[in-house]
Amino acid sequence: MSSQQPARPGPADAPGDSAAHAPAVAPVRGASRTPSVADASPGAADARQGRPGPPVIAGLLLAAGGGRRLGGRPKALLAYRGRPLVENAVRVLREAGCGPVHVVLGASAAEVRERADLTGCTVVDNPDWAEGMGSSLRVGLASLAGTGAAAALVSLVDQPGIGPAAVARVREAYRSPASLVAAAYDGERGHPVLFGAERWADIAATATGDKGARVHLVRHAGELVLVECSDVAEAFDIDTPPDLARLL
């Protein structure tokens, strides 16, 4: 089930996988400018004037995890700068120029909807979230059908060290609906990952358990473009109690 999160009173937004090394690919450096929130609806002005606009790059945030190793604390609701962590992840996607933004919830979805300000996002429930990231990826890609998005830029809710600068670099590496792009940290593939729309069907067919899109990425390793981001981001996850110190 998906819904467009309605506007509601409250503050503005507060400020996938441990993959194997990808084949050697020349790093891509993005422009130094980070797109503004105004870029979140690519091509809107051009469309109004009858001109073809830039491609729509949707932000797809996977935020369904139940935090099993955190004692069952849903990751979306972990406190970060005084607000739920999911709000930070949404803000990052928007400031990097992604839009629309779809958020996949799972564990404690009703509580997340109640406590987090997801205004303007399309919020999708994954009833099978406990099966792993693959199910959330499938649900999220399905929710983008009919949006006109040329690609989905997939990010994870529990990586607050990855900010708009890194996400924008990956977004700006889009070339076509067949694009396959990932952030790299000292040459090692990480998140976020951009999937051109032509790849969604195969990804959905192979995304199972906690593998996410790993099968597709391995099969198409020769087509993968790596964007080095270690100079602007830290790709740590919030998985265990000691990791919570990184949220302070």
Side-chain angles (χ1 to χ4, degrees):
M1 175 185 3
S2 66
S3 65
Q4 183 76 19
Q5 190 75 6
R8 70 180 195 185
D13 290 345
D17 60 273
S18 301
H21 286 276
V25 180
V28 177
R29 294 283 183 178
S32 59
R33 183 185 72 85
T34 298
S36 68
V37 176
D39 293 326
S41 297
D46 292 310
R48 286 194 296 270
Q49 298 176 35
R51 299 195 305 263
V56 174
I57 310 298
L60 179 54
L61 175 61
L62 305 186
R68 177 178 53 83
R69 287 182 285 173
L70 293 169
R73 300 168 63 182
K75 291 185 176 183
L77 290 176
L78 294 175
Y80 183 62
R81 299 179 180 177
R83 296 295 303 166
L85 186 57
V86 66
E87 291 184 7
N88 174 74
V90 167
R91 175 189 65 82
V92 167
L93 286 170
R94 285 179 172 155
E95 290 189 5
C98 296
V101 174
H102 286 216
V103 181
V104 181
L105 300 180
S108 302
E111 186 179 0
V112 176
R113 288 172 182 267
E114 177 62 27
R115 292 176 50 190
D117 183 359
L118 300 176
T119 302
C121 296
T122 295
V123 181
V124 189
D125 290 333
N126 174 18
D128 300 319
W129 63 268
E131 294 180 2
M133 189 194 308
S135 64
S136 290
L137 184 56
R138 294 195 306 271
V139 167
L141 291 175
S143 75
L144 290 171
T147 62
L153 191 147
V154 179
S155 67
L156 308 181
V157 73
D158 67 339
Q159 294 189 317
I162 300 175
V167 176
R169 282 187 184 177
V170 174
R171 176 181 175 271
E172 290 165 2
Y174 170 87
R175 295 294 179 268
S176 77
S179 287
L180 183 63
V181 185
Y185 302 91
D186 296 324
E188 183 173 352
R189 171 168 58 82
H191 281 89
V193 184
L194 181 147
F195 300 111
E198 291 180 4
R199 298 182 179 273
W200 296 355
D202 184 67
I203 292 168
T206 57
T208 59
D210 280 323
K211 293 180 180 179
R214 196 178 308 168
V215 172
H216 185 88
L217 288 166
V218 170
R219 282 181 182 170
H220 300 276
E223 303 161 44
L224 177 64
V225 174
L226 292 181
V227 181
E228 185 58 47
C229 294
S230 59
D231 60 320
V232 294
E234 294 182 274
F236 59 83
D237 302 306
I238 306 299
D239 285 331
T240 64
D243 296 332
L244 296 174
R246 292 180 177 270
L247 297 176
L248 299 179

